[in-house]
Amino acid sequence: MSELDKLHDLCNKTYKEQSVWFLNAFWDKQEGEAERLWDYVQKLNELDLENHEEGSALDEMKAHVFLEKFDETLTVREMRAKLRSTGAIGEAERPKTVPLTHFLLYKYAVDWHTLTDETRQGSNKEEMAKAEKMLEEVAAAVKQSESKAATARKALAEAQSAENAAKERESEAVASENDAVQRENE
């Protein structure tokens, strides 16, 4: 399946699914936009009088109403130019419908090739399992290392305590010897 086919499949998902896909793909940069995307989904569900929550795209006229609701008003030409600028539609194409995905592509100036990359969705189970296993191994190694460090700290403290006790006994012995020598000399 080509990347363009993947984009078309994505654009046929419901507004909610498109929004979730977008957030999964760009969570690192768009995490703070989750609430706004939910607002978009709710408004699209409301404006899509035929399909509501099951809808995936608004006709061009309703897309303009959608933009107006979020103070993003554009002329027909401006909107088409923005849609074309993402590469998601061709230069000669006149969009009959506008899916949420196309709006998000130009709104957030993101690459649609990156958006269609399924590995950004966390669906690569083998790699995820491998990464989780590596994470568990690292966590176990850290725990073991911390345990060994604690044992080493305890041994160091005991050695320092024994050294201090030995120095104190040596100091007492030297003092006792000096007292004995002084008494002999008297």
Side-chain angles (χ1 to χ4, degrees):
M1 176 182 282
S2 75
E3 286 185 335
L4 192 57
D5 289 336
K6 290 178 184 178
L7 178 65
H8 290 223
D9 282 351
L10 174 58
C11 291
N12 286 323
K13 293 181 180 291
T14 66
Y15 303 119
K16 180 180 176 182
E17 292 168 331
Q18 290 178 58
S19 177
V20 168
W21 187 281
F22 180 86
L23 282 172
N24 283 342
F26 299 106
W27 185 256
D28 55 334
K29 295 177 183 154
Q30 304 300 339
E31 176 182 359
E33 294 294 302
E35 202 169 309
R36 178 174 290 272
L37 265 66
W38 182 246
D39 290 342
Y40 292 158
V41 168
Q42 294 302 313
K43 186 52 70 179
L44 289 164
N45 290 341
E46 178 185 318
L47 291 172
D48 192 335
L49 299 177
E50 290 179 36
N51 300 308
H52 303 286
E53 288 81 9
E54 297 304 313
S56 60
L58 294 177
D59 65 46
E60 199 172 11
M61 289 302 294
K62 284 200 177 142
H64 285 283
V65 173
F66 169 78
L67 292 175
E68 289 171 11
K69 297 291 183 186
F70 293 98
D71 295 322
E72 305 260 348
T73 307
L74 298 171
T75 66
V76 171
R77 286 185 182 182
E78 289 171 334
M79 185 175 80
R80 288 179 182 171
K82 286 194 178 276
L83 293 173
R84 288 184 184 109
S85 73
T86 67
I89 65 169
E91 284 300 318
E93 277 185 82
R94 288 189 174 171
K96 292 180 179 139
T97 60
V98 180
L100 174 59
T101 295
H102 286 186
F103 168 71
L104 297 174
L105 288 171
Y106 82 73
K107 166 78 175 162
Y108 295 101
V110 295
D111 179 51
W112 68 268
H113 296 89
T114 304
L115 179 63
T116 59
D117 180 1
E118 291 177 3
T119 62
R120 297 178 68 89
Q121 297 300 311
S123 63
N124 191 336
K125 291 179 183 175
E126 286 180 25
E127 285 186 26
M128 291 295 286
K130 184 179 175 183
E132 285 176 13
K133 183 179 179 189
M134 289 171 62
L135 183 60
E136 288 171 7
E137 290 171 358
V138 167
V142 166
K143 188 175 182 179
Q144 183 180 20
S145 175
E146 288 172 347
S147 175
K148 287 180 179 180
T151 302
R153 280 192 298 274
K154 183 179 177 185
L156 176 62
E158 289 172 358
Q160 288 173 334
S161 178
E163 180 184 20
N164 290 339
K167 285 181 180 178
E168 190 175 315
R169 285 192 305 274
E170 179 185 20
S171 178
E172 289 172 0
V174 168
S176 180
E177 181 183 355
N178 287 341
D179 284 344
V181 168
Q182 190 176 15
R183 275 182 278 175
E184 269 183 28
N185 291 334
E186 289 180 2

